[in-house]
Amino acid sequence: MPASAQLDHLITLLDDESPVVQEALQREFTSMRRDLPERLKHLDRQLTLDEERHVGRLLEPARKAELEETWMRWRWLDNTHAQLEEGLAQISAYLNGWRTQPGDLAQRLDALAEEAFRECGRMDARELSEWLFAMKDGTVRFRGNSKDYYSARNSNLFWVLETGLGNPISLCCLYRLLGQRFGLDIQGCNFPGHFLARVEMLGRSWLVDCFNRGRFMLAGDVAKHHPAANPAIEDVIRQPASVDQTLLRILRNLDEACERTDNLPLRQTMRRLAVKLMEEQ
C-alpha cells in the first residue's frame, strides 16, 4: 500500500473506540511523528479539527517523554544565546503542538531577522527595539498581551511570533535572540515581577521594557528610584540574568498559568522540567 494511502487509512480509524485499534494507531503515528506533517501535505485533504485532536492525543505520551529526556541538552551548547534559544525552542515546540519541532524556531527567527535587515539594514539595540516594539503608522509588530497576561500561550515563542503578543519575558527573549542575529549582545534582567532586557550602549547600562513599547531606561535610575529599590535590587540590575534564571522563570510562569486554568498535566510536565534544571544548577 502506498504511504499516502496507508496514512489515509490510519486517519479513518482515529475515532474507532476499540482499545486494540487505538494502541495500534498510537504505535504507527508515534513511529512516523518526525515526518508526519510533511506526509500530511501529500494527502488530498486536510485533517478535521477532531482528527487533529485525535492525532495530538496519540502522540502526547511520546512528545512528553522526548521533552523530558532531552530537556537539559541546551546546557552543553557553547554560548548563552544558543543555550537560551534551544531551551525556549524545546518548551515552545511542546506548547505549540505535534506539528512543531524545536528546530522550527531558528527558521522563524532567521526569517524575522531577514525582514528587519531588508527594511532597516544593520541596527543598534535601540533601533532594533523600535523596529520590534514601537508604534508606527498606527501598528506595532510586538506588544504586551495585557488582556490575557497570565495565559500559557505567552510563553510559546511560536505563538508570540504568530500573533505579535507576549509577556515581558517572552518579548525580552525575542529581542535578545533577534539581536544576536544582528551581532548585538542583549541580555536579560531578572527584575522581580517584570522581566526586562539589559543593554550596554555608549558606556552606559540600559534596561529595556519590551512589554511597554521597548522603553529604554538608565539602569542606575531604575536602581535608585524604583519603589522596590534596595541593595538586592541593585545587584539584580547590575548582573545579567543567567540562562538558568530565565528558563526557570518561564517555567514558573507556565506553572502559574496552568494553576489558573486547572491544567494539571501540563503543570506537572513544566514542574518536572524545572526540577531537572534546579538539580543541575
Side-chain angles (χ1 to χ4, degrees):
M1 181 184 297
S4 58
Q6 180 187 16
L7 179 57
D8 195 46
H9 175 65
L10 293 174
I11 291 170
T12 63
L13 297 173
L14 284 171
D15 59 356
D16 192 303
E17 296 181 358
S18 166
V20 174
V21 171
Q22 288 299 311
E23 289 177 10
L25 287 172
Q26 188 165 59
R27 288 194 300 270
E28 291 293 330
F29 279 104
T30 298
S31 69
M32 67 175 75
R33 70 184 187 280
R34 297 290 187 189
D35 58 352
L36 181 57
E38 187 63 30
R39 290 193 187 193
L40 288 170
K41 292 179 182 178
H42 299 290
L43 294 183
D44 293 332
R45 64 178 183 84
Q46 294 184 336
L47 296 186
T48 66
L49 290 178
D50 277 346
E51 289 167 345
E52 288 270 353
R53 180 177 56 80
H54 281 306
V55 173
R57 173 181 53 80
L58 293 171
L59 294 179
E60 177 62 16
R63 294 181 67 242
K64 183 181 296 186
E66 183 177 40
L67 173 66
E68 295 186 25
E69 289 170 6
T70 63
W71 163 233
M72 292 302 297
R73 69 184 181 186
W74 55 265
R75 178 66 64 75
W76 309 112
L77 298 177
D78 58 4
N79 67 76
T80 57
H81 295 300
Q83 290 174 349
L84 179 64
E85 185 167 324
E86 174 63 23
L88 283 168
Q90 289 189 56
I91 294 170
S92 297
Y94 181 76
L95 294 174
N96 210 50
W98 59 268
R99 288 181 178 269
T100 308
Q101 296 295 325
D104 297 341
L105 182 61
Q107 298 176 22
R108 296 289 302 274
L109 292 170
D110 288 346
L112 185 63
E114 290 170 6
E115 179 186 348
F117 188 80
R118 283 196 306 269
E119 291 190 15
C120 300
R122 190 161 296 280
M123 292 182 274
D124 63 22
R126 188 183 291 271
E127 291 166 336
L128 179 60
S129 173
E130 291 175 354
W131 187 85
L132 284 168
F133 307 120
M135 182 75 70
K136 183 177 180 181
D137 299 327
T139 61
V140 61
R141 286 181 177 82
F142 297 93
R143 68 183 192 277
N145 188 4
S146 55
K147 291 184 179 180
D148 200 8
Y149 185 86
Y150 294 102
S151 171
R153 296 179 300 182
N154 292 319
S155 297
N156 172 3
L157 275 194
F158 291 102
W159 188 83
V160 174
L161 288 164
E162 183 70 27
T163 65
L165 299 171
N167 59 19
I169 195 167
S170 64
L171 295 176
C172 284
C173 288
L174 173 63
Y175 179 41
R176 175 176 177 176
L177 296 177
L178 202 65
Q180 187 270 335
R181 286 161 167 78
F182 278 81
L184 303 173
D185 186 23
I186 299 169
Q187 299 290 334
C189 174
N190 197 26
F191 201 82
H194 194 91
F195 200 88
L196 301 167
R198 187 175 183 277
V199 172
E200 299 289 334
M201 285 185 65
L202 304 176
R204 308 181 84 176
S205 297
W206 301 84
L207 299 180
V208 187
D209 188 350
C210 300
F211 191 82
N212 290 304
R213 306 288 173 82
R215 177 189 174 199
F216 267 63
M217 305 167 287
L218 281 170
D221 290 346
V222 175
K224 290 178 183 177
H225 303 302
H226 192 274
N230 57 54
I233 289 294
E234 292 181 12
D235 289 341
V236 168
I237 289 172
R238 198 161 36 240
Q239 296 296 325
S242 69
V243 176
D244 289 42
Q245 287 175 324
T246 304
L247 292 175
L248 188 58
R249 189 153 170 176
I250 289 169
L251 292 171
R252 285 172 173 163
N253 284 346
L254 283 165
D255 187 317
E256 181 177 358
C258 293
E259 182 182 20
R260 288 171 177 268
T261 57
D262 293 322
N263 189 341
L264 182 58
L266 181 58
R267 188 183 190 192
Q268 290 175 333
T269 300
M270 295 301 108
R271 284 193 163 190
R272 283 194 289 270
L273 299 188
V275 168
K276 288 185 179 182
L277 196 161
M278 290 186 289
E279 287 176 345
E280 297 196 21
Q281 283 184 333

